[in-house]
Amino acid sequence: MAKIIGGLTTSHIPAIANAMANGLEETPYWKPFFDGYPPVRDWLNEKKPDVIILFYNDHGLEFFIDKKPTFAIGVADEYHNADEGWGIPTIPPVTGESELSWHIANSLVEDGFDMTICQEMKVDHGLTVPLNLMWPGYNYGHVKVIPVCINCEQHPMPQPKRTFALGQAIGRAVASFDEDLNVVVFGTGGMSHQLDGERAGIINRKFDIECLDKLVTDPEDLTKYSNLDLVEIAGAQGVELNMLLAMRGTLIGQVKELHRNYHAPISNTGSGLMLLEHTMPEK
Ligand SMILES: [Fe+2]
């Protein structure tokens, strides 16, 4: 049986890739952010997961505003990045896991989630930055990745209640896959932030920390918010909380918090790194 052994939250902002490409990790601005990562890297290197399911939002590389799937899943054997205009060096491809991807896709549609199923898919910084943070130097080729995109850019977006339910459905799908695979789920994105408009730069540290607490102890409580609530409380891009909630939804058994590092601001966002160990429910 495939097992989800853990879940984590991390920022995916493109400025991280630039900082790593330019060796800025020890500078005063970046150090408090990057100092959070070694314990998570150590845990991943010890546990050696076979598969990462990675929730992110595509920022316009594969899905522009003319075509925006609410939920999309990749089922390819390999994924490529492309120029996003950030000056980031060309990076190696990401390895896929088509068999488990198809199993999850079938299971989700059966379960009432009408996914966009992508046999080809370019992946942007939302996916590659978290992988590079965990395996610096873009050394992630050994781990198989299943990309799951959630629309967090253009209204109407799926509500927190729905993204949490999507995560739960993925958790059930993984538990019903016969092959022995260890899976870790990444929920990526900024916490409170707003990139433009009158409130650009807004950060709500208190709310971010409450969200991290609730993600451990009572994630369903966070589904009481609508996306408009999140915009008001946490800024227009605070809706990226949906991807953290989707991750937490997949953890259908017991969780234990192993590590946390909250830092703000980093590139105008609240950044929440958290590692949760997960024990699957008894069958
Ligand atoms: Fe993002």
Side-chain angles (χ1 to χ4, degrees):
M1 180 180 103
K3 285 198 305 258
I4 296 180
I5 59 170
L8 61 86
T9 66
T10 175
S11 173
H12 67 210
I13 50 176
I16 297 167
N18 272 329
M20 294 177 83
N22 293 303
L24 303 178
E25 291 96 326
E26 293 296 316
T27 58
Y29 180 84
W30 284 103
K31 189 171 167 37
F33 170 81
F34 282 106
D35 276 356
Y37 282 85
V40 183
R41 292 174 187 149
D42 290 347
W43 184 85
L44 287 167
N45 289 332
E46 183 199 326
K47 299 294 179 186
K48 297 186 176 22
D50 303 293
V51 180
I52 304 298
I53 297 173
L54 199 150
F55 291 102
Y56 73 111
N57 59 311
D58 180 281
H59 304 74
L61 183 68
E62 177 66 42
F63 307 118
F64 197 57
I65 52 176
D66 57 335
K67 293 182 210 67
K68 188 58 81 173
T70 301
F71 297 127
I73 182 168
V75 293
D77 288 321
E78 194 169 89
Y79 302 94
H80 291 262
N81 184 235
D83 183 9
E84 296 178 56
W86 297 100
I88 300 168
T90 306
I91 60 175
V94 174
T95 312
E97 213 302 352
S98 57
E99 204 177 331
L100 178 55
S101 298
W102 275 112
H103 172 81
I104 293 172
N106 281 313
S107 177
L108 287 175
V109 173
E110 196 71 19
D111 222 344
F113 290 89
D114 303 320
M115 308 296 288
T116 297
I117 298 170
C118 303
Q119 299 189 54
E120 284 186 3
M121 190 182 194
K122 287 192 290 294
V123 291
D124 75 3
H125 65 269
L127 182 130
T128 59
V129 164
L131 293 175
N132 191 38
L133 269 168
M134 301 310 162
W135 294 280
Y138 297 99
N139 286 311
Y140 46 64
H142 62 289
V143 68
K144 295 179 172 179
V145 178
I146 300 178
V148 183
C149 279
I150 297 175
N151 171 22
C152 292
E153 305 83 47
Q154 179 163 261
H155 296 277
M157 303 169 184
Q159 298 291 340
K161 194 174 192 166
R162 186 70 174 153
T163 55
F164 185 67
L166 173 74
Q168 290 176 309
I170 291 177
R172 292 192 293 273
V174 171
S176 67
F177 191 65
D178 279 341
E179 203 180 322
D180 281 334
L181 293 173
N182 286 332
V183 179
V184 173
V185 185
F186 289 14
T188 76
M191 303 199 72
S192 58
H193 65 300
Q194 177 155 334
L195 300 177
D196 49 22
E198 283 180 15
R199 298 199 309 157
I202 182 178
I203 287 181
N204 188 337
R205 288 177 179 76
K206 182 169 174 289
F207 181 69
D208 287 346
I209 288 165
E210 276 171 20
C211 285
L212 290 171
D213 290 342
K214 290 279 183 183
L215 281 172
V216 184
T217 58
D218 188 10
E220 286 207 67
D221 189 59
L222 295 171
T223 66
K224 70 188 176 197
Y225 297 113
S226 68
N227 284 323
L228 289 181
D229 292 334
L230 293 178
V231 169
E232 191 175 334
I233 300 167
Q237 281 72 43
V239 292
E240 290 194 357
L241 176 68
N242 273 294
M243 293 171 292
L244 278 48
L245 255 181
M247 176 283 291
R248 183 59 178 88
T250 68
L251 308 182
I252 56 179
Q254 296 296 312
V255 303
K256 182 178 161 197
E257 181 179 343
L258 296 183
H259 179 71
R260 185 192 299 199
N261 183 47
Y262 178 80
H263 178 63
I266 206 79
S267 192
N268 280 341
T269 73
S271 159
L273 171 68
M274 190 163 66
L275 174 61
L276 301 173
E277 186 178 58
H278 178 241
T279 309
M280 295 287 278
E282 294 294 325
K283 275 221 163 173

